[in-house]
Amino acid sequence: MIRVEDLVTYYGDRRILNHVNLEVGAGETMVILGVSGTGKSTLLRHMIRLELPTSGHIYIKGHDVCHTSEDRFDLIRHKIGMLFQSAALFNSLSVGDNVALPLRELTHLEESTIRIMTRIKLDLVGLGGCENYMPSELSGGMKKRAGLARALAMDPEILLFDEPSAGLDPITAAGIDALIVKLKTAFKMTIVVVTHEMASAYAIADRITVMDQGEIIALGTPEEIRRSQHPRVRQILNRVPDSEGQDVQAYLRSLTQAS
């Protein structure tokens, strides 16, 4: 369903992604795991063409989304749903209008049909009866669910999540994890989740990709990742901080490379 080939991204002189290669099968839940600043969210943004890489390719259902026209990619984009880290709701619109927005912008459905579909999507994520609430009236977990309902509005084949548990308490985060598993089971969607939460990764993943400094350093099932002996993977899994000496050396290297 998704194939990433030799993807390289620079922000100015800083290399964010370094020759990333990855495949996600149809109906698979792939979790991309790693510390902050390692390129996880950048990779996700490339998949929906919010940003273009410096070089390389991303194929979605066989279409190279990095090197196709905007009009052609629009046809692909309609089959991709995205839940942003902050939920990205429009504060001036009600919850119902946020969810209905893609249907109003991208289809020619009757308004009565759009209202019915909006209620169905909100019911699906546990927000039935909340369509008239404003985003400011929702808790953090409810905002994530509303954002997910909007991502589901066009019945996507691919669903992308950027840090779905960020800023949530453990119980609410577990509810989001359970919802992701429910969607995968019910609709056989292809799901890609960016996170740094180990508990979430183990709960939802078919396979886990571990990234560090813009590179993939491990890839496998949750059990294979648990058994990995890669030093950086062990450090992430065991929550071991970088030593002060390592931090200084990394900082000096970054200054040297930048110059």
Side-chain angles (χ1 to χ4, degrees), residues 111-242:
E111 183 62 27
S112 58
T113 302
I114 290 176
R115 286 197 296 270
I116 292 170
M117 293 182 67
T118 297
R119 286 196 293 270
I120 290 172
K121 303 305 181 186
L122 287 170
D123 284 342
L124 185 62
V125 301
L127 289 181
C130 293
E131 56 262 35
N132 293 322
Y133 282 59
M134 299 301 290
S136 60
E137 299 175 299
L138 303 182
S139 67
M142 292 173 74
K143 287 180 181 178
K144 291 288 180 78
R145 288 174 180 265
L148 179 53
R150 184 179 61 191
L152 293 168
M154 295 290 291
D155 296 319
E157 297 177 36
I158 299 169
L159 201 53
L160 309 178
F161 294 81
D162 189 6
E163 299 284 5
S165 301
L168 302 180
D169 64 84
I171 294 175
T172 303
I176 296 295
D177 292 342
L179 185 54
I180 293 172
V181 173
K182 171 186 172 183
L183 292 172
K184 184 262 181 73
T185 302
F187 299 106
K188 311 300 181 186
M189 293 179 180
T190 301
I191 297 175
V192 180
V193 181
V194 161
T195 186
H196 62 272
E197 299 285 348
M198 290 305 309
S200 292
Y202 288 142
I204 65 179
D206 293 316
R207 288 192 299 156
I208 297 173
T209 298
V210 184
M211 292 186 66
D212 187 50
Q213 298 183 14
E215 299 180 355
I216 292 176
I217 59 172
L219 173 63
T221 65
E223 187 56 35
E224 288 169 340
I225 296 300
R226 278 193 182 100
R227 296 198 306 263
S228 173
Q229 295 305 306
H230 189 289
R232 186 61 167 168
V233 175
R234 298 308 320 161
Q235 183 182 5
I236 293 170
L237 297 186
N238 296 328
R239 302 181 71 234
V240 177
D242 288 327

